[in-house]
Amino acid sequence: RQRIATPPLAFFQGKLNLHIPYEYSFGIRQGLYKAHRTSGAILVREGHEANRERYFELMSASKFCVAAAGFGFSTRVYESAAAGCVPLIMMDGVESAYEELLPYSSFALRMNDSLRQIATLEPLLRAVPAARVAAMRAELRCLWPRLLWLRHDGTATPLPEQDRLLKYDAFESLFWTLRKRLRGDIQTPPDREEACAAVRDYFKRSARGWGPWANWADLPAW
């Protein structure tokens, strides 16, 4: 993907439904747009399905990516993780997928009282130390498969050689969660180091029929 000349500090793109008050997105999407629509640091855009490639270019370039509820509870946590962008969760009282299993605080930033935080969001995010952001991105690199259903389900462009990471995907996260609830003998998946090694190896060796992963090779803080 192309590099963005001036990467956003934070990014959100999706439905805004500005004509609907608090009932939609708890007012978060509308509030973000109204407060930051002219901001150069926090980029808020309407819609994202017309140009998915540009959407992921912006997401990959951003330091934080907002995960705010819509009519559901936002797939952007998973998209952010796959893009290497730290999820900024702005859904008060909503538990994200596998939050009882995965160490969310080590790879995502959760806002409390999100509506109130919107006005001062830029200085709040700029105050997050660069070392912490780097650590969260490093954790994302290890565990992004845990949030995604990698098994080929007939999609037009499945993940190349997905079988190399299937042992660590969301299907496995579901069963680790059930084991934790049933037995209480684990806190997080015990195969973390094995999963990290598998992800490193995945990007080190190009998938068959694909060129080298040059677009991943020089990502900062990864």
Side-chain angles (χ1 to χ4, degrees):
R1 294 193 169 101
Q2 298 179 12
R3 285 202 173 274
I4 306 298
T6 306
L9 172 64
F11 172 68
F12 176 82
Q13 188 167 342
K15 293 180 179 178
L16 299 176
N17 286 332
L18 298 175
H19 62 290
I20 304 177
Y22 181 84
E23 286 79 3
Y24 178 74
S25 187
F26 307 118
I28 299 297
R29 297 187 185 199
Q30 305 93 311
L32 282 169
Y33 177 78
K34 291 173 183 177
H36 299 289
R37 63 183 181 275
T38 60
S39 168
I42 298 176
L43 181 59
V44 183
R45 289 186 168 185
E46 172 85 38
H48 68 273
E49 296 181 359
N51 190 336
R52 295 287 290 178
E53 186 64 23
R54 182 62 176 171
Y55 172 70
F56 279 105
E57 282 178 359
L58 288 166
M59 184 171 274
S60 298
S62 302
K63 186 176 289 186
F64 300 97
C65 290
V66 176
F71 286 120
F73 295 116
S74 191
T75 60
R76 283 167 184 77
V77 171
Y78 326 129
E79 292 176 344
S80 300
C85 180
V86 175
L88 177 62
I89 302 173
M90 302 184 75
M91 297 185 284
D92 295 358
V94 177
E95 184 174 316
S96 294
Y98 309 120
E99 194 162 354
E100 67 183 276
L101 177 74
L102 302 178
Y104 264 72
S105 62
S106 70
F107 65 83
L109 194 63
R110 180 180 281 279
M111 293 280 105
N112 295 312
D113 198 5
S114 297
L115 270 176
R116 192 183 299 273
Q117 305 281 15
I118 287 175
T120 57
L121 190 58
E122 183 176 342
L124 284 172
L125 295 180
R126 290 198 184 281
V128 179
R132 184 182 176 193
V133 175
M136 287 192 285
R137 283 179 165 173
E139 188 71 11
L140 279 174
R141 176 154 187 158
C142 277
L143 60 71
W144 63 266
R146 307 269 190 196
L147 295 167
L148 302 178
W149 296 81
L150 299 181
R151 285 161 173 77
H152 180 37
D153 60 357
T155 55
T157 54
L159 185 73
E161 296 188 17
Q162 58 189 336
D163 57 297
R164 291 163 57 186
L165 297 175
L166 288 185
K167 187 178 176 182
Y168 316 104
D169 82 339
F171 181 83
E172 300 299 326
S173 295
L174 174 61
F175 280 89
W176 283 122
T177 299
L178 293 175
R179 170 173 165 169
K180 182 176 182 177
R181 291 179 182 180
L182 180 64
R183 299 182 182 177
D185 61 345
I186 62 168
Q187 292 301 313
T188 59
D191 57 352
R192 180 189 184 281
E193 295 306 317
E194 179 185 318
C196 288
V199 172
R200 285 194 297 268
D201 182 66
Y202 180 81
F203 287 114
K204 189 182 298 181
R205 297 191 292 118
S206 300
R208 290 185 298 274
W210 289 65
W213 295 113
N215 56 329
W216 289 88
D218 57 354
L219 277 176
W222 275 41

